[in-house]
Amino acid sequence: MAADEAEDDGAEQDVLGDSCGYVVPQPVSAVFRWHPLDALGSACAWWRDQHWLAGDPLRRIRRRARTPDRTRTLSRADVETLLTLPRLALRERTLFRLLHESAARAQEVLALDAGDLDLRNRRARVRRKGGAVDVIVWRTATARLLPRLLDGRRTGPLFLTGRRARVELPPGDLDPASGQARLSYRRAAELFETATAGLPGGPYTLHQLRHSALTHAAEDGANTSTLLAYSGHTSVTSLARYARVSPEALARWQEGRDPASRRDGQ
């Protein structure tokens, strides 16, 4: 088996500082998303709970301000190129397409079981961030891929690893027929980064699919209520970051205002 096709064994957590008993879930690329002060703050809190530490040694430390990245949204052409890559396996093609069409968080989609899907109505029940039960929906492209991926399966995780699990896992994270484990976030992100490494601006992150879907929906005129339902957000403030116009849309708007363009079109 090629190195880029190797699967994890369903273990979705790494251990940080296990010598002191402090366990931190580590999804892929956590080192890029987690600020070191977050890890230190959590560790100090645990040490205080154990009465190993008094006070807060980080109280005078301030994190460096981050320069906002306003290029996170992928263009529509880039998204289409990604989703139609001929080298994508069926599992990856279905996962990436579903993530983009539903604008759901990757963790929400990876937690889906076959029984959560309503294929006829193109929807599924998911548990959102915070625990709320919600519904995601998809379009024709995903609707055509899902039955092929399931291949008659009615139970077990929707997205599976490529081989039987070699570690003990909860029954809910295993396909009872094949013994394959639920695909982890870490492995899904690795697959996505590998698939997009050769694309312009790549590799991309899974969150860019969600970010791009929401930004494009806002550009297409979706109102606030629709965007809240589409994204699973409960706060307009959280939604605001996706409402920023993409460079692609800004260029179209500017072109429409250009007197030379209007004269050429007459």
Side-chain angles (χ1 to χ4, degrees):
M1 181 178 294
D4 61 350
E5 295 175 349
E7 297 287 351
D8 63 13
D9 295 314
E12 300 189 19
Q13 292 185 341
D14 292 336
V15 177
L16 175 64
D18 56 352
S19 60
C20 66
Y22 182 67
V23 180
V24 180
Q26 293 288 296
V28 69
S29 301
V31 292
F32 302 109
R33 296 198 308 272
W34 251 37
H35 194 283
L37 284 180
D38 295 330
L40 287 172
S42 297
C44 288
W46 191 83
W47 291 331
R48 283 194 296 272
D49 289 343
Q50 307 306 309
H51 305 291
W52 295 350
L53 183 68
D56 182 5
L58 306 180
R59 65 185 182 279
R60 296 183 183 277
I61 300 177
R62 298 290 180 268
R63 69 180 65 209
R64 183 181 301 171
R66 294 180 179 178
T67 302
D69 180 4
R70 291 174 175 166
T71 63
R72 179 174 293 181
T73 300
L74 302 176
S75 71
R76 296 170 196 254
D78 286 342
V79 171
E80 188 60 23
T81 297
L82 159 63
L83 296 180
T84 56
L85 285 173
R87 64 177 181 271
L88 288 181
L90 175 60
R91 179 189 60 181
E92 284 84 310
R93 188 178 303 280
T94 307
L95 173 61
F96 302 162
R97 179 71 69 170
L98 176 55
L99 286 172
H100 182 254
E101 291 190 358
S102 68
R105 299 174 180 88
Q107 295 91 333
E108 296 165 354
V109 168
L110 292 169
L112 284 172
D113 293 329
D116 295 326
L117 306 183
D118 180 353
L119 295 177
R120 177 176 297 179
N121 294 306
R122 301 183 180 182
R123 64 186 61 182
R125 289 165 58 88
V126 297
R127 190 167 295 277
R128 295 287 195 182
K129 184 177 179 180
V133 177
D134 204 351
V135 172
I136 61 172
V137 297
W138 52 83
R139 300 196 294 269
T140 300
T142 298
R144 289 173 175 167
L145 290 168
L146 282 170
R148 294 173 55 198
L149 178 71
L150 288 168
D151 193 25
R153 288 193 299 118
R154 296 181 180 273
T155 60
L158 174 58
F159 293 101
L160 298 170
T161 55
R163 64 188 182 195
R164 292 179 62 89
R166 294 188 296 182
V167 297
E168 186 175 353
L169 294 171
D173 287 332
L174 291 171
D175 174 38
S178 67
Q180 293 167 270
R182 185 184 305 278
L183 185 68
S184 70
Y185 179 91
R186 179 178 62 188
R187 181 59 181 150
E190 288 172 352
L191 291 167
F192 189 70
E193 290 177 5
T194 298
T196 59
L199 299 181
Y204 307 147
T205 65
L206 286 172
H207 183 70
Q208 283 180 278
L209 279 180
R210 169 175 164 83
H211 191 111
S212 302
L214 292 171
T215 298
H216 296 158
E219 292 171 357
D220 290 341
N223 60 33
T224 300
S225 297
T226 300
L227 289 172
L228 286 171
Y230 190 34
S231 66
H233 283 122
T234 57
S235 165
V236 175
T237 302
S238 299
L239 187 64
R241 75 188 70 172
Y242 303 105
R244 182 177 179 85
V245 174
S246 69
E248 180 188 24
L250 186 61
R252 289 199 303 268
W253 173 78
Q254 190 68 287
E255 184 179 1
R257 298 175 65 245
D258 190 336
S261 296
R262 290 200 294 269
R263 285 196 299 270
D264 291 343
Q266 291 177 353

